[in-house]
């Protein structure tokens, strides 16, 4: 099945990677409702026009999966009137702090040492596996919140690709969305206008040279192998999605039914 993309997708100036995940097909022939579940990069740099658009969505909750280091780097989200903001970090700022400092400040030799020969992609795969395996309490809270009252909802991290991508994927799996459709939505983060703007300390041309950008690209790409690693972790650890939801996330069949009522056509 092909994914339906609304033709009226807004062009936001200060918010990257925004989209409505409505229209994605479930295995039992239903679709995710439009206007109830959105994803994006951070909202710290939203313009007045962006803020007006986001306000018009009638959001109940914004889930921000950034950690304290991200928030210090980018700033807090803009305030949206009447919207509940839930900060639920899916990564520890101390974990990888030195790595990300080198990404921003390191010279070419340092970047080669930490990123070359597949090391960058391996790091991304490991982080996806870790989030699925160890952030079960956070994902449980998100699903139970959505089932109770938290829609329409927007989920974001910094780039809106990895932590938000995984949380959206977990939500879609709980709704019974086909894995191929989950993957297709995830890969849309690669569109040029969606990609995160890389922060590097130096403003010199060499700081963003083709080789540097090539070394960094695995960190800022959405790659099928990353999300597949998350799927594999679910299957290897719990056996299947139903068991992952019930035992890993403590999400009951009744909660899943409420989720479907709120989020599916």
């Amino acid at each position: 099945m092909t994914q339906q993309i609304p033709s009226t997708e807004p062009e936001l100036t200060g918010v990257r990677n925004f989209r409505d995940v409505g229209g994605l097909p479930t295995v039992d022939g239903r679709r995710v409702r439009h206007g109830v579940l959105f994803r994006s990069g951070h909202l710290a740099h939203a313009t007045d026009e962006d803020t007006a658009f986001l306000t018009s969505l009638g959001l109940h909750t914004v889930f921000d999966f950034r950690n304290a280091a991200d928030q210090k780097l980018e700033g807090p989200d803009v305030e949206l009137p009447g919207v509940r903001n839930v900060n639920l970090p899916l990564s520890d700022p101390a974990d990888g702090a030195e790595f990300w400092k080198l990404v921003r400040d390191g010279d070419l030799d340092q970047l080669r040492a930490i990123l070359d020969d597949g090391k960058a992609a391996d790091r991304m795969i490991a982080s996806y596996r870790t989030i699925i395996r160890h952030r079960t309490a956070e994902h449980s809270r998100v699903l139970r919140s959505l089932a109770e009252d938290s829609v329409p909802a927007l989920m974001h991290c910094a780039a809106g690709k990895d932590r938000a991508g995984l949380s959206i994927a977990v939500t879609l799996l709980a709704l019974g969305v086909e894995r191929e459709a989950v993957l297709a939505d995830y890969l849309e983060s690669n569109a040029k206008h969606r990609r995160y703007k890389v922060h590097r300390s130096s403003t010199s041309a060499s700081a963003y040279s083709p080789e540097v950008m090539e070394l960094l690209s695995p960190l800022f790409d959405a790659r099928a192998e990353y999300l597949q690693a998350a799927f594999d972790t679910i299957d290897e650890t719990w056996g299947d999605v139903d068991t992952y939801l019930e035992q890993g996330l403590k999400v009951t069949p009744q909660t899943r039914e409420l989720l479907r009522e709120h989020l599916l056509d």
Side-chain angles (χ1 to χ4, degrees), residues 37 60-63 65 84 86 88 137-153 155 171 249 251 255 258-259 262-263:
L37 187 59
H60 181 289
T61 302
V62 170
F63 292 99
F65 301 119
R84 181 176 67 137
V86 177
L88 210 56
E138 289 87 345
H139 283 141
S140 175
R141 184 175 163 192
V142 168
L143 293 184
R144 282 183 286 125
S145 295
L146 293 174
E148 286 159 13
D149 62 356
S150 297
V151 291
M155 298 185 192
T171 304
L249 304 192
V251 170
T255 300
L258 281 172
L259 268 174
H262 287 317
L263 294 167

Side-chain angles (χ1 to χ4, degrees), residues 4-173:
Q4 291 183 335
I5 311 286
S7 56
T8 55
E9 182 182 305
E11 291 205 15
L12 301 178
T13 307
V15 179
R16 309 286 286 186
N17 207 4
F18 173 88
R19 58 194 181 275
D20 182 341
V21 300
L24 298 181
T26 63
V27 291
D28 62 356
R30 299 168 75 182
R31 287 189 180 271
V32 178
R33 191 177 298 158
H34 285 288
V36 293
L37 187 59
F38 304 92
R39 57 180 295 173
S40 73
H42 69 77
L43 311 183
H45 303 158
T47 64
D48 289 346
E49 290 81 6
D50 297 341
T51 303
F53 169 77
L54 293 168
T55 301
S56 77
L57 299 175
L59 295 170
H60 181 289
T61 302
V62 170
F63 292 99
D64 179 357
F65 301 119
R66 294 179 300 162
N67 62 42
D70 301 318
Q71 292 183 335
K72 187 176 177 187
L73 183 69
E74 292 139 1
D77 282 345
V78 294
E79 292 285 328
L80 300 175
V83 176
R84 181 176 67 137
N85 289 287
V86 177
N87 181 223
L88 210 56
L90 286 181
S91 55
D92 182 338
D95 177 36
E98 201 172 306
F99 173 87
W100 288 103
K101 188 174 188 318
L102 280 176
V103 167
R104 289 194 298 277
D105 305 340
D107 62 27
L108 186 53
D109 286 340
Q110 289 172 312
L111 290 176
R112 283 181 184 140
I114 62 169
L115 301 173
D116 217 354
D117 297 326
K119 288 195 282 288
D122 288 347
R123 182 186 179 85
M124 295 303 296
I125 287 169
S127 75
Y128 275 53
R129 287 184 173 278
T130 297
I131 289 173
I132 290 294
R133 205 175 281 122
H134 298 295
R135 297 291 176 165
T136 50
E138 289 87 345
H139 283 141
S140 175
R141 184 175 163 192
V142 168
L143 293 184
R144 282 183 286 125
S145 295
L146 293 174
E148 286 159 13
D149 62 356
S150 297
V151 291
L154 168 68
M155 298 185 192
H156 79 79
C157 49
K161 170 179 78 81
D162 303 312
R163 290 163 292 184
L166 281 173
S167 299
I168 287 285
V170 167
T171 304
L172 295 174
L173 291 175

